[in-house]
Amino acid sequence: MNLMLIGGGQLIEPSHQVINRHVFQLTSHVPHIVFLPTASRDERLYQQQFRDTYEALGATVSIVTLFDDNQTIDTQRQLLQHADIIYVGGGNYPLLAKTLENSGINVLLKQAIDRGAWYVGVSAGAIYSMESGIRTTESGNDYCLDTGQSWLSGCICPHLNQERRAARFQEHLSQMDNAIGLPDDTAYIQSETDHYLLGEGHVFCFK
């Protein structure tokens, strides 16, 4: 299983460009990247920024939109079946998990990953791949533990640079065998043959 989990950050900021370039370089050829902006409810600005960023690097970019009735499930299936990299963006984690399940895209995602496609998840997208993760509560005023797909065991805390989120993460550490804390503009990468960290921020990781 090939996973790149990103703690967060602004896609178009200079500090995030090392992350963007690494995503582009995950494959040995010019990649076809399929973007799911589901956690942001398919925000149009996010879509445009993603397309501009990765097309400028040379990638072929397609976007799966789950809040757009004009895109059929057959189209979405074809895009995911031919993706080299599937990038699941940040935003509202409960919305992401519920929408992927209700649409059946969760099954297509797992099929794509099982055939060898890279899964890249940022913030909410990173939590989705893990056994659990620290997300924002529905009120927006605090953070809580939620469950993911368990493709990778353990808990992840994106945006580790946020003090209150990091504190909630620390509260749960005693219950965990595996944990990864990622500040913005950092990433944890695991392929079938290797695993490593990327970025200059302080990363917390233990097994």
Side-chain angles (χ1 to χ4, degrees):
M1 184 171 289
N2 299 315
L3 304 171
M4 180 172 174
L5 308 181
I6 304 167
Q10 296 298 314
L11 186 71
I12 61 175
E13 289 297 318
S15 59
H16 205 72
Q17 299 317 301
V18 65
I19 298 290
N20 295 333
R21 288 192 297 271
H22 200 84
V23 171
F24 176 76
Q25 295 166 355
L26 287 173
T27 63
S28 59
H29 55 275
V30 174
H32 175 207
I33 304 177
V34 174
F35 177 44
L36 276 74
T38 313
S40 68
R41 199 176 288 273
D42 294 343
E43 181 187 0
R44 291 189 180 275
L45 178 60
Y46 196 11
Q47 292 184 47
Q48 192 59 56
Q49 289 177 339
F50 188 91
R51 186 180 293 280
D52 291 347
T53 296
Y54 281 97
E55 286 185 346
L57 289 170
T60 299
V61 176
S62 299
I63 301 177
V64 167
T65 53
L66 299 179
F67 297 92
D68 180 359
D69 293 337
N70 293 323
Q71 195 173 70
T72 67
I73 187 65
D74 287 338
T75 295
Q76 295 162 352
R77 182 181 294 107
Q78 286 294 318
L79 290 175
L80 293 170
Q81 284 177 346
H82 294 93
D84 299 305
I85 300 168
I86 299 169
Y87 189 117
V88 179
N92 184 313
Y93 178 73
L95 176 69
L96 171 67
K98 180 179 179 180
T99 305
L100 293 183
E101 181 176 5
N102 289 347
S103 64
I105 294 297
N106 59 332
V107 176
L108 299 179
L109 272 178
K110 186 59 165 57
Q111 290 173 349
I113 294 165
D114 286 345
R115 69 164 169 78
W118 274 90
Y119 177 91
V120 177
V122 58
S123 188
I127 293 173
Y128 186 77
S129 68
M130 295 286 291
E131 187 176 358
S132 62
I134 304 295
R135 67 162 176 87
T136 308
T137 59
E138 282 76 1
S139 68
N141 298 320
D142 206 346
Y143 303 96
C144 63
L145 192 68
D146 207 341
T147 57
Q149 297 299 297
S150 297
W151 299 336
L152 193 63
S153 64
C155 178
I156 190 166
C157 180
H159 309 292
L160 189 67
N161 47 294
Q162 296 175 354
E163 186 174 347
R164 184 181 291 182
R165 187 188 297 259
R168 290 288 180 265
F169 184 47
Q170 290 286 342
E171 289 172 4
H172 291 286
L173 282 180
S174 62
Q175 308 165 28
M176 302 172 188
D177 295 324
N178 305 291
I180 304 169
L182 295 174
D184 291 353
D185 305 322
T186 62
Y188 173 80
I189 299 97
Q190 177 172 304
S191 69
E192 295 177 357
T193 59
D194 196 10
H195 64 91
Y196 53 97
L197 298 168
L198 176 70
E200 297 181 358
H202 176 70
V203 178
F204 178 88
C205 184
F206 81 90
K207 291 187 177 182

